[in-house]
């Protein structure tokens, strides 16, 4: 399972990329707004900066609600950077936009997916990746990771090539469970990436190795 960073924060992306474990970035209007990005122009320049740091797909979301607007935005975004994945929501207008954009060779990350049926529709429309939001399903009392497992199993059964991208990841267990469920990609907030790194036994082990070595008089 590949790891993407789910943020529009340039500093966090720079720090995350330095670890050598990040294969892409996902953004959305809420994440952009959280960084003070308030216009298409500033979104574009942030995305260009991200694209220079990350060797992999950068997901950029449309804000139109109608198919015509989504298609126009998607075509525009496709020209911003070398490897864009246009994020389109799992709505009727969204599926129409996905089918048009993918027929033009534009990669699409189908977002806000909450059911196997939406994942099936997106695959038929040509989605490059589908993003089930597991944290938001947990929020309403469901097991979000079950959706990952169900989509992966249906896609495998029907030899569908659309990637399953686990999104709305809130903690490290989500990431482990998404991997066990067969997700191809998980997009994680920077905070979760750092939590994935840390383990108290690693920290105490490193400290003990160093202390034991120092006791010998070596340094
Ligand atoms: O990847 C989608 C993500 O940004 C949404 O996460 O925590 O707002 O549900 P969240």
């Amino acid at each position: 399972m590949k790891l993407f960073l789910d943020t529009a924060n340039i500093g966090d992306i720079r720090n995350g990329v330095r670890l050598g474990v990040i294969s892409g970035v996902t953004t959305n209007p809420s994440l952009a707004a959280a960084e003070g990005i308030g216009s298409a122009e500033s979104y574009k320049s942030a995305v260009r900066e991200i694209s220079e740091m990350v060797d992999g797909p950068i997901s950029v979301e449309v804000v139109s609600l109608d198919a015509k607007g989504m298609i126009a935005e998607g075509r525009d975004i496709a020209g911003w950077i070398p490897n864009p994945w246009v994020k389109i929501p799992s709505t009727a207008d969204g599926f129409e936009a996905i089918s048009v954009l993918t027929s033009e060779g534009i990669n699409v990350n189908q977002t806000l997916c909450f059911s196997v049926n939406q994942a099936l529709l997106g695959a038929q429309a040509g989605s490059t990746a589908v993003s089930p939001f597991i944290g938001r399903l947990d929020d309403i009392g469901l097991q979000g990771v079950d959706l990952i497992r169900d989509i992966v199993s249906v896609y495998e059964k029907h030899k569908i090539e659309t990637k399953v991208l686990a999104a709305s990841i809130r903690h490290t267990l989500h990431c482990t469970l998404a991997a066990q469920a067969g997700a191809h990609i998980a997009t994680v907030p920077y905070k979760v990436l750092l939590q994935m790194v840390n383990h108290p036994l690693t920290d105490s082990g490193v400290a003990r190795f160093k202390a034991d070595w120092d006791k010998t008089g070596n340094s």
Side-chain angles (χ1 to χ4, degrees):
M1 183 178 77
K2 289 188 190 268
L3 284 177
F4 287 7
L5 269 178
D6 193 29
T7 180
N9 183 290
I10 302 290
D12 286 351
I13 294 168
R14 185 173 294 113
N15 290 334
V17 163
R18 208 176 288 138
L19 270 59
V21 299
I22 296 302
S23 307
V25 168
T26 52
T27 68
N28 64 38
S30 302
L31 293 172
E35 300 308 321
I37 295 166
S39 67
E41 270 316 300
S42 54
Y43 197 7
K44 185 196 229 172
S45 78
V47 165
R48 285 192 164 152
E49 202 173 344
I50 294 168
S51 170
E52 280 166 18
M53 290 189 280
V54 181
D55 184 17
I58 314 299
S59 289
V60 183
E61 186 150 349
V62 301
V63 289
S64 297
L65 301 179
D66 63 304
K68 200 170 156 215
M70 290 181 197
I71 292 163
E73 275 189 73
R75 286 175 178 151
D76 182 39
I77 290 166
W80 290 5
I81 53 174
N83 197 359
W85 282 7
V86 178
K87 271 177 108 174
I88 305 275
S90 306
T91 60
D93 282 273
F95 293 122
E96 184 179 338
I98 291 168
S99 65
V100 170
L101 292 170
T102 57
S103 74
E104 296 173 4
I106 295 171
N107 286 313
V108 168
N109 173 355
Q110 177 199 337
T111 190
L112 289 166
C113 174
F114 293 99
S115 73
V116 172
N117 285 331
Q118 288 179 326
L120 278 171
L121 291 169
Q124 297 313 305
S127 296
T128 312
V130 63
S131 290
F133 273 35
I134 63 178
R136 292 194 193 184
L137 284 169
D138 288 0
D139 289 345
I140 60 164
L142 299 173
Q143 282 281 15
V145 76
D146 288 349
L147 179 59
I148 303 283
R149 190 174 301 105
D150 291 346
I151 296 172
V152 167
S153 118
V154 168
Y155 277 8
E156 277 176 3
K157 191 166 283 183
H158 296 281
K159 301 193 173 26
I160 289 169
E161 288 183 3
T162 302
K163 304 272 183 228
V164 179
L165 194 170
S168 184
I169 285 194
R170 305 272 175 75
H171 47 69
T172 52
L173 181 59
H174 270 156
C175 204
T176 306
L177 294 174
Q180 288 171 337
H184 304 99
I185 305 161
T187 188
V188 300
Y190 182 60
K191 181 185 82 170
V192 174
L193 177 69
L194 295 183
Q195 289 169 342
M196 288 170 74
V197 171
N198 290 320
H199 197 287
L201 291 178
T202 304
D203 295 343
S204 60
V206 165
R208 196 193 305 170
F209 285 149
K210 174 82 169 81
D212 288 346
W213 183 247
D214 287 350
K215 269 190 237 153
T216 66
N218 292 302
S219 57

